[in-house]
Amino acid sequence: MTDRRFVFVNEEELFGMMKDIDCLYCRIPVIGSKHHLKKRHLRFAIHYKDSDIGKFSIPCYCSDGGHGRSHWHCPMCKKILQRTKDFRIHIHNHGVKMTDKSTAELEPTAVLLQTLQSNNNNNSSHNNNEDTTSSGKLTCQKCGVYFTTASNLRRHERLQHDQDQQPMLCIDAKKAIYVTPKDLHGPRVPIHIRKSFALQILLCELEECWDFMKTQAQNGNPGKECRHLVRTNHARAYTMPPPLCVISLEEMTHKNLLSKAEGEECQQMNSKACSEGVDCVYPILWGEQDLLLERCIYFSVHTGLKDKWCQFGRTRVSFDIRSKVWKCQCEGGGDHSCVHKCLSMWWLFQERPELLENTIEITVERVDLIEEVVMNAEDANKMSTEVDELC
Ligand SMILES: [Zn+2]
Ligand SMILES: [Zn+2]
Ligand SMILES: [Zn+2]
Ligand SMILES: [Zn+2]
Ligand SMILES: [Zn+2]
Ligand SMILES: [Zn+2]
């Protein structure tokens, strides 16, 4: 460890010094790559002016500091200081002018530990040992976590950083009902949740989530939210969907798309929902999506019932655009006909009739796009996709 410098004029000086050798400022052997230097050293650099020349010092983790704890070597008198604050005062006394804008006293070791811990909490599959493996290529640009394969990295980016991948839409503000995708990968099958501090409600439709929250409560964590409930932090506020119109229902019975009895039942259900001040059919559109590229369209439909399949008085209806198959959670989710499906059909017939037709014009370009979307979805998750079961 000879010729270590503790003051630099620019970053290139530091990078050039450690080309292809182990970091001179770390106790544990690790290549002194740009990535490493940025992440462990430059990030915490202290800037100052020495005779009007801008310079900076970096924290060190060498054995001089004991057990790899961060410390500072004074570039002027070789003294070692453990605390960032003390180092600032020390070099200030040597006559340099501090130019750091931030006055926050970051202790590098504490910050790094915190980063490591939060990464661990976010996703246990993260490889946090980036120091020994960094190649720069498979490192997440947003948080610096290293990955062994490109698909793992893509998946991480999607799950951790792309908030659009975990949308949460309010569909009933009064009852505090939201919809959110069950899983973050594969088809975005919605589930219902309810969350309101005012109403003291914290509920998820999924059985596995009840178990999770129950166990958490028993272990002294009451109010611990499942992976769906936590997403309400960035929920989209309620927006009213286009309401169902009687004229379009009449047109459907006229065209024999619905029987007269089915039409009447739909109208009754819709009036009932209206009188309760809720949307009978809420189409679940996650964002600026092109419905023609989706495999399934989902609806949250008012039932007025409370059962295992509609705990919050709403059921999920899906429509497979390609096979034209409708499914509803009621009656075990089979191919039966039910008023919920008819209601959803009513909405689709009124708002997006082209999707109901058998001959959707699919251009070559569209087929490619669909393939791409499907492949991405498959690639993002090689675990269960359960498309048919969930649709
Ligand atoms: Zn280092
Ligand atoms: Zn040191
Ligand atoms: Zn000194
Ligand atoms: Zn990341
Ligand atoms: Zn849940
Ligand atoms: Zn149904």
Side-chain angles (χ1 to χ4, degrees):
M1 292 233 183
T2 54
D3 273 318
R4 281 199 303 171
R5 292 177 47 193
F6 296 101
V7 56
F8 305 91
V9 174
N10 58 47
E11 297 188 353
E12 289 312 317
E13 242 186 307
L14 176 66
F15 296 151
M17 210 168 87
M18 263 179 290
K19 262 208 157 103
D20 303 314
I21 60 162
D22 283 351
C23 180
L24 297 170
Y25 306 94
C26 279
R27 188 172 57 104
I28 300 159
V30 47
I31 301 281
S33 65
K34 274 191 189 180
H35 174 82
H36 167 81
L37 292 168
K38 277 187 188 161
K39 206 164 168 246
R40 307 244 0 195
H41 302 281
L42 285 167
R43 182 176 163 198
F44 306 102
I46 289 181
H47 295 260
Y48 46 87
K49 270 194 170 170
D50 183 13
S51 317
D52 251 90
I53 300 166
K55 296 183 181 176
F56 66 86
S57 289
I58 54 168
C60 179
Y61 307 87
C62 78
S63 48
D64 295 353
H67 300 295
R69 275 185 69 89
S70 63
H71 56 268
W72 302 82
H73 294 248
C74 172
M76 286 148 259
C77 72
K78 309 295 173 207
K79 194 176 162 153
I80 293 172
L81 296 115
Q82 299 290 340
R83 301 185 64 85
T84 307
K85 202 169 111 196
D86 297 339
F87 178 65
R88 278 174 185 274
I89 296 168
H90 180 92
I91 56 170
H92 180 76
N93 289 340
H94 276 297
V96 304
K97 208 172 129 218
M98 307 310 292
T99 52
D100 261 359
K101 278 161 206 83
S102 72
T103 47
E105 297 299 341
L106 292 175
E107 290 297 340
T109 312
V111 173
L112 288 167
L113 264 174
Q114 237 170 42
T115 316
L116 217 67
Q117 267 163 6
S118 70
N119 284 343
N120 267 335
N121 289 342
N122 283 348
N123 189 336
S124 53
S125 70
H126 278 191
N127 185 347
N128 291 307
N129 197 10
E130 76 282 355
D131 281 353
T132 51
T133 45
S134 61
S135 68
K137 218 172 160 190
L138 290 172
T139 304
C140 173
Q141 297 301 305
K142 290 199 173 116
C143 68
V145 172
Y146 176 83
F147 292 89
T148 47
T149 67
S151 82
N152 281 348
L153 172 60
R154 274 206 305 278
R155 174 140 163 247
H156 159 83
E157 285 173 336
R158 209 184 278 230
L159 301 192
Q160 297 299 326
H161 303 301
D162 194 348
Q163 302 244 309
D164 292 340
Q165 294 296 321
Q166 35 185 316
M168 173 68 80
L169 318 177
C170 179
I171 61 162
D172 182 340
K174 235 177 18 197
K175 290 192 193 149
I177 302 176
Y178 299 79
V179 287
T180 190
K182 176 174 179 273
D183 298 306
L184 290 177
H185 37 71
R188 295 200 277 187
V189 181
I191 57 161
H192 294 95
I193 67 138
R194 284 187 77 190
K195 181 172 169 176
S196 162
F197 288 115
L199 301 173
Q200 298 224 320
I201 290 173
L202 206 55
L203 297 165
C204 178
E205 212 174 21
L206 284 193
E207 217 171 320
E208 65 191 65
C209 293
W210 314 343
D211 292 341
F212 169 78
M213 290 193 279
K214 214 163 80 191
T215 317
Q216 288 290 325
Q218 280 161 0
N219 292 335
N221 283 322
K224 174 88 184 168
E225 300 177 5
C226 70
R227 65 187 204 270
H228 308 109
L229 283 161
V230 292
R231 295 180 204 156
T232 39
N233 294 338
H234 49 263
R236 193 191 73 189
Y238 170 81
T239 52
M240 200 179 94
L244 294 165
C245 304
V246 181
I247 300 168
S248 55
L249 186 67
E250 279 166 2
E251 201 184 328
M252 282 180 86
T253 47
H254 202 73
K255 285 186 172 174
N256 283 326
L257 289 166
L258 289 179
S259 72
K260 235 182 138 105
E262 283 171 331
E264 273 165 21
E265 204 184 349
C266 282
Q267 214 175 323
Q268 267 172 26
M269 279 292 274
N270 189 41
S271 315
K272 224 174 106 203
C274 285
S275 67
E276 287 177 32
V278 297
D279 297 302
C280 192
V281 175
Y282 200 106
I284 300 165
L285 310 173
W286 296 122
E288 292 293 309
Q289 75 206 110
D290 183 347
L291 282 181
L292 285 170
L293 292 181
E294 297 289 318
R295 165 139 183 206
C296 280
I297 306 176
Y298 297 96
F299 302 88
S300 168
V301 182
H302 176 74
T303 63
L305 304 167
K306 194 171 186 272
D307 206 328
K308 214 170 171 194
W309 55 270
C310 67
Q311 293 169 58
F312 312 141
R314 303 194 74 92
T315 184
R316 180 184 66 219
V317 171
S318 69
F319 175 61
D320 187 315
I321 297 172
R322 275 178 281 173
S323 67
K324 311 291 170 201
V325 171
W326 289 89
K327 283 187 181 167
C328 177
Q329 287 189 134
C330 75
E331 290 172 42
D335 275 350
H336 62 285
S337 94
C338 69
V339 67
H340 317 115
K341 289 180 192 172
C342 296
L343 284 162
S344 306
M345 207 185 289
W346 177 4
W347 192 92
L348 206 59
F349 176 80
Q350 180 186 301
E351 298 298 325
R352 298 296 299 264
E354 76 276 14
L355 296 174
L356 276 173
E357 277 153 33
N358 280 318
T359 48
I360 296 174
E361 279 225 14
I362 293 184
T363 61
V364 176
E365 202 183 325
R366 255 199 203 293
V367 171
D368 285 350
L369 269 168
I370 291 169
E371 290 302 315
E372 202 181 301
V373 168
V374 170
M375 270 170 58
N376 281 341
E378 281 168 359
D379 181 52
N381 172 43
K382 298 221 167 70
M383 290 182 272
S384 62
T385 40
E386 303 172 33
V387 179
D388 292 317
E389 202 186 303
L390 289 165
C391 253

